[in-house]
Amino acid sequence: GTPQQRSLERRSISAAIISDDKMSPTEEGKEILRHADAMLRELDEIDLFIDARKTGATDRTVISVAFKSFPLDFLFFNESLDAVRLLREFQTRTPGCTLSTYKLSDTAILNALEEGAIDLGFVQGEYERKGIKLVPVSMVETRAITLKTNPICDKAPLRIENLRGTPIRSPFDFDHFIHCFISRCRERGFDPLFQEVPLNDDAINRFCGEGGIHLQPFDPSMETAYPESRFMPFHPEDKIDLPLCLAYSEANEKPYVQRLVTFIRNGVRR
């Protein structure tokens, strides 16, 4: 069958497993599902190989992919992230295709997709834009970051209420997370105290040293990169975890783009 048909097969298998709260696969059944999924992935890769041969060795297609701006180096170029792993795997297995990556804000990514300036983007949260499809690929945890010398570290895990009157670095993009965060603060009777801070390590460290924090997507690799900082989680009742979503335009007719979308969709369902 086609990759689309195989995708439907994966969904039907998952639906059969979760359709009844009392149903769950046996260990033998789980092993069969793993083998079946591996076979379907191999068929996907054969399709990619055949398409690449059809285009000819001299033809190269460049797919432009944009990621949420910060912290790009530690979150979105991390091999542990499924989206990055699948992008690299697709490029390796697809002769004639090159991926060109950019970093933009969520708003800029969605605008660029509408204008046809980029082919794919990854944004934090499920936005609604006419003609733009979004596919959740993983969850993104946002944490409050400051220097370990900041007294607020003693309050972790943080409650939203703990940030009343705390200086917060003004976000680069008032994205889905920030809108949710502002709403949570207002539900508790205060507005967040945003302050403009240049986007460089020295300025941010000075700001944090004076009692400020900044809110950013979190990946454990950041703790190694910034040992002087504390990455404070929010209390479970106050967490605002949002999905990292693959975003693409329905009007994009590049065949390799559609192949890559299918490859990622199938990959994150494994």
Side-chain angles (χ1 to χ4, degrees), residues 257-270:
V257 172
Q258 298 304 319
R259 285 285 184 188
L260 178 52
V261 168
T262 300
F263 189 77
I264 293 174
R265 293 178 72 128
N266 288 345
V268 298
R269 290 195 181 100
R270 284 188 295 171

Side-chain angles (χ1 to χ4, degrees), residues 91 162 228 261:
Q91 182 169 250
N162 296 143
E228 73 281 5
V261 168

